């Protein structure tokens, strides 16, 4: 670990944290049962859940897609380097935990611009003795800075898996496509793109209702079609891995999603809807529940 990203003054971090506006990373944390969020984030999550009561399945299956993709890349394809942009708050089964379980020497660089994520970044730097992890406090919209800092930990002469999981729907078209191109251009042959993205192709009424709750709170929220998601691969001459761009729960399912330990029924009855989400079993998913595309591509 370089530790550079963790040298920020605590007072400066507190100044940067805006508790009056919801933040995507913190709303995501609410759905994953995390504790590193604020009332405004819980309000945003609750509004989204009210608009789409099964919407937590998008979040949880998106996360489970990341687990499966990283496992496959480390186990089957021999990828040993991962650049995870839009990391979000530390939670169970982060990329380094998944990759280093398969290959302890794996190197992982996390990138996020939320000061709350930075404040908890030490949890992302608990690498095993054979591997390396680092955290970069940077914005996705500044790929040059990301690449410059990541090169301190990653070897750009060797394949890298670029993970853009549930981040691009917060970025406008005129910025998203060129940034992805700039990032991929810096990576060598054999590198991978691991991508997931919200869409209105699948269950438009549900996701549009969620979109309204987020845009009312000032979020950029771009729902892209399968063709528009596919462009991130075709524009960069990537070879899509089977089964291509598909709903997240259909990307090489292994039916091994962790099942949360269930509390006593009496305790569960005291929780509100958003608090119960953390205990939900996601194996009852149907096609009517999912609004997330997932795909992995290889750079030739």
């Amino acid at each position: 670990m370089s530790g550079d990203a963790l040298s920020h003054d605590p007072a400066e971090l507190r100044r940067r944290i805006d508790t009056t506006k919801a933040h995507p990373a913190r709303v995501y944390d609410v759905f994953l049962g995390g504790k590193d969020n604020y009332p405004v984030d819980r309000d945003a999550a609750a509004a989204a859940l009210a608009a789409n009561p099964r919407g937590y399945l998008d979040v949880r299956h998106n996360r489970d897609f990341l687990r499966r993709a990283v496992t496959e890349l480390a186990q089957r394809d021999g990828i040993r380097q991962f650049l995870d942009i839009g990391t979000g708050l530390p939670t169970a089964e982060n990329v380094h935990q998944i990759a280093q379980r398969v290959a302890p020497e794996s190197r992982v660089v996390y990138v996020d611009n939320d000061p709350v994520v930075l404040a908890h970044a030490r949890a992302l730097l608990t690498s095993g003795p054979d591997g390396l992890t680092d955290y970069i406090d940077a914005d996705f919209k500044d790929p040059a800075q990301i690449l410059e800092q990541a090169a301190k930990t990653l070897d750009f002469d060797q394949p890298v898996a670029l993970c853009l999981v549930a981040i691009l729907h917060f970025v406008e078209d005129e910025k998203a496509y060129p940034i992805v191109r700039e990032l991929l251009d810096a990576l060598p042959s054999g590198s991978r793109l691991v991508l997931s993205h919200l869409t209105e192709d699948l269950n438009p009424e549900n996701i549009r209702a969620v979109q309204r709750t987020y845009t009312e709170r000032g979020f950029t929220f771009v729902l892209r079609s399968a063709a528009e998601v596919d462009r991130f691969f075709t524009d960069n001459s990537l070879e899509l891995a089977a089964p291509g761009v598909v709903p997240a729960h259909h990307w090489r399912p292994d039916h091994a999603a962790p099942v949360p330990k269930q509390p006593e029924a009496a305790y569960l009855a005291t929780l509100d809807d958003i608090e119960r989400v953390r205990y939900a079993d996601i194996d009852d998913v149907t096609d009517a529940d999912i609004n997330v595309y997932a795909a992995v591509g290889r750079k030739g």
Side-chain angles (χ1 to χ4, degrees):
M1 121 182 36
S2 74
D4 293 345
L6 303 183
S7 61
H8 290 252
D9 176 52
E12 171 65 13
L13 273 179
R14 287 193 295 272
R15 186 194 66 77
R16 284 179 54 190
I17 296 171
D18 185 351
T19 62
T20 67
K21 294 180 181 177
H23 189 285
R26 302 194 306 257
V27 175
Y28 194 74
D29 181 64
V30 174
F31 279 112
L32 291 174
K35 305 287 188 183
D36 302 311
N37 49 71
Y38 296 93
V40 67
D41 306 305
R42 294 190 285 277
D43 288 345
L49 194 67
N52 181 17
R54 301 270 285 172
Y56 64 89
L57 289 164
D58 278 333
V59 176
R60 297 273 298 281
H61 275 280
N62 175 74
R63 190 76 186 182
D64 200 53
F65 157 68
L66 177 64
R67 175 187 64 82
R68 299 193 306 277
V70 171
T71 299
E72 281 223 7
L73 291 179
Q75 200 167 60
R76 192 190 69 178
D77 297 342
I79 301 296
R80 297 293 179 263
Q81 302 190 108
F82 298 83
L83 176 57
D84 182 7
I85 303 178
T87 299
L89 285 148
T91 186
E93 292 293 276
N94 296 295
V95 170
H96 74 279
Q97 294 164 315
I98 301 166
Q100 291 181 359
R101 185 165 56 241
V102 176
E105 70 274 22
S106 296
R107 298 181 173 203
V108 179
V109 172
Y110 295 104
V111 183
D112 209 296
N113 70 334
D114 181 0
V116 175
V117 180
L118 175 58
H120 294 274
R122 289 191 187 280
L124 295 170
L125 298 175
T126 54
S127 174
D130 299 324
L132 287 173
T133 60
D134 201 0
Y135 179 88
I136 300 171
D137 178 26
D139 195 306
F140 174 75
K141 296 177 182 178
D142 190 356
Q145 181 193 0
I146 291 171
L147 292 167
E148 179 185 358
Q149 295 298 315
K152 297 175 181 178
T153 302
L154 305 179
D155 178 359
F156 283 172
D157 290 328
Q158 298 297 320
V160 176
L162 171 63
C163 300
L164 301 178
V165 175
I167 181 175
L168 291 169
H169 42 252
F170 298 116
V171 185
E172 306 87 343
D173 278 355
E174 65 272 15
K175 296 178 180 176
Y177 291 104
I179 290 171
V180 173
R181 183 179 307 115
E182 184 172 346
L183 290 167
L184 286 168
D185 280 351
L187 305 183
S189 176
S191 293
R192 307 300 203 275
L193 173 61
V194 178
L195 184 150
S196 66
H197 201 296
L198 285 169
T199 183
E200 61 182 352
D201 286 357
L202 305 173
N203 299 289
E205 186 175 342
N206 288 350
I207 196 63
R208 286 173 189 158
V210 172
Q211 182 184 42
R212 285 192 294 273
T213 71
Y214 284 138
T215 54
E216 286 167 0
R217 288 163 172 78
F219 291 3
T220 297
F221 207 81
V222 183
L223 300 172
R224 292 188 173 93
S225 67
E228 290 167 326
V229 172
D230 191 60
R231 266 194 62 195
F232 289 110
F233 297 89
T234 57
D235 282 7
N236 296 291
S237 302
L238 303 185
E239 178 187 354
L240 267 174
V245 176
V246 296
H249 63 308
H250 288 312
W251 196 91
R252 302 188 184 182
D254 60 7
H255 308 291
V259 178
K261 183 179 179 181
Q262 295 302 299
E264 295 290 334
Y267 171 74
L268 204 57
T270 68
L271 304 181
D272 61 26
D273 289 344
I274 198 67
E275 291 170 322
R276 287 195 193 101
V277 161
R278 76 184 68 174
Y279 300 110
D281 182 351
I282 66 173
D283 287 330
D284 65 346
V285 66
T286 71
D287 289 351
D289 295 320
I290 295 298
N291 303 281
V292 181
Y293 281 133
V296 174
R298 182 184 188 277
K299 183 173 180 179

